[in-house]
Amino acid sequence: MNINTKDEIVLAVLKKMDQRSMIGQKKYGATMMQEIEGQEKDLNRFLVDVQEELMDAILYIQTARELIDEVVGTQDNS
């Protein structure tokens, strides 16, 4: 794979994605493509995974906002 971008942010994200992929491969014993090809996961299972990850992300965002509010002293809980 040839990465052409010079954007350091994009490169940092790609590096993190690569690291996360390696952790997932070690944890689950397969790449995502292998899970598809081996029919270990179907489309519905991938959608459930996405939904669960997004729900987790919302919790992380809310927690971060509350921590920021504590530091800054604001009370905007919307």
Side-chain angles (χ1 to χ4, degrees), residues 47-59:
L47 290 172
V48 168
D49 289 350
V50 169
Q51 186 178 39
E52 290 172 353
E53 293 294 337
L54 291 172
M55 288 188 289
D56 289 346
I58 290 168
L59 295 175

Side-chain angles (χ1 to χ4, degrees), residues 56-72 74:
D56 289 346
I58 290 168
L59 295 175
Y60 299 144
I61 290 167
Q62 184 61 36
T63 301
R65 290 184 69 206
E66 290 181 15
L67 291 171
I68 290 169
D69 287 346
E70 285 179 22
V71 171
V72 176
T74 62

Side-chain angles (χ1 to χ4, degrees), residues 3-65:
I3 306 296
N4 296 315
T5 186
K6 302 292 187 239
D7 189 319
E8 293 297 320
I9 305 270
V10 172
L11 292 171
V13 169
L14 291 172
K15 182 176 181 180
K16 287 183 180 191
M17 289 179 72
D18 182 56
Q19 292 167 342
R20 184 160 172 79
S21 175
M22 297 310 296
I23 291 168
Q25 289 174 53
K26 183 177 179 183
K27 182 176 181 179
Y28 298 106
T31 66
M32 291 181 76
M33 185 57 74
Q34 289 169 331
E35 290 180 331
I36 293 169
E37 291 170 345
Q39 298 180 350
E40 296 168 33
K41 280 191 179 181
D42 61 5
L43 178 58
N44 186 61
R45 185 61 231 177
F46 278 109
L47 290 172
V48 168
D49 289 350
V50 169
Q51 186 178 39
E52 290 172 353
E53 293 294 337
L54 291 172
M55 288 188 289
D56 289 346
I58 290 168
L59 295 175
Y60 299 144
I61 290 167
Q62 184 61 36
T63 301
R65 290 184 69 206

